[in-house]
Amino acid sequence: MTTEPKVTQFANPAEWRDSKRYLWPLPVLLAGIPLLGWWLYARTGNEWTLWLSPIFFYVLIPIIEMAFGEDNSNPPKEAIPFLRDDPFYRWSAFAALPASYLVWIIGAWYVAVMDLSWSAYLAVTVANG
């Protein structure tokens, strides 16, 4: 017996509401995690703080994904044009790009001006990727 995801049909696809709408700006905030680690290193000199971003993205996020499982609450295909035209979703997605470039530029500057050990250099490089 297979269980198919429940698809609700709407008379008007614009009626579909995204229950996770508030999470869409999150990638912009998550781009700040490497910056937090680099700032903490500059303030404390503790090299482990440079590994905050790699640990968060390569260890913690996969553990969270395994704990919560697959998300089956995708919008119906008919609602996608309405979501695509919604300025909130558009600007949430577009804002992540400048945030990523900013982290990349600051990371390059950080490697150039800070006196880093090979493991600290590796941490900043991985976090910047």
Side-chain angles (χ1 to χ4, degrees), residues 5 7-8 22-24 29 42 47 51 54 61 64 73 82-83 86 88 91-92 95 101 107 110-111 113 123-125:
V7 177
T8 307
Y22 61 92
L23 293 175
W24 275 78
L29 298 175
E47 195 171 298
W51 290 98
I61 293 291
I64 291 170
S73 63
F82 294 97
L83 298 174
D86 186 338
F88 175 79
W91 287 107
S92 294
Y101 280 132
Y110 201 82
V111 166
V113 295
V124 173
T125 302

Side-chain angles (χ1 to χ4, degrees), residues 37-58:
W38 301 338
W39 179 79
L40 287 171
Y41 176 73
R43 301 282 292 172
T44 65
N46 292 329
E47 195 171 298
W48 70 267
T49 61
L50 296 174
W51 290 98
L52 284 176
S53 178
I55 289 169
F56 180 80
F57 288 109
Y58 297 118

Side-chain angles (χ1 to χ4, degrees), residues 111-129:
V111 166
V113 295
M114 297 296 285
D115 185 28
L116 301 173
S117 67
W118 70 270
S119 61
Y121 179 81
L122 180 64
V124 173
T125 302
V126 171
N128 221 6

Side-chain angles (χ1 to χ4, degrees), residues 55-75:
I55 289 169
F56 180 80
F57 288 109
Y58 297 118
V59 177
L60 188 61
I61 293 291
I63 290 171
I64 291 170
E65 286 181 348
M66 285 188 313
F68 285 98
E70 188 174 338
D71 180 14
N72 291 325
S73 63
N74 291 328

Side-chain angles (χ1 to χ4, degrees), residues 2-3 5 10 12 23-24 31 36 40 57 72-73 80 105:
T2 61
T3 57
F10 295 98
N12 180 0
L23 293 175
W24 275 78
L36 174 64
L40 287 171
F57 288 109
N72 291 325
S73 63
I80 290 176
I105 290 167

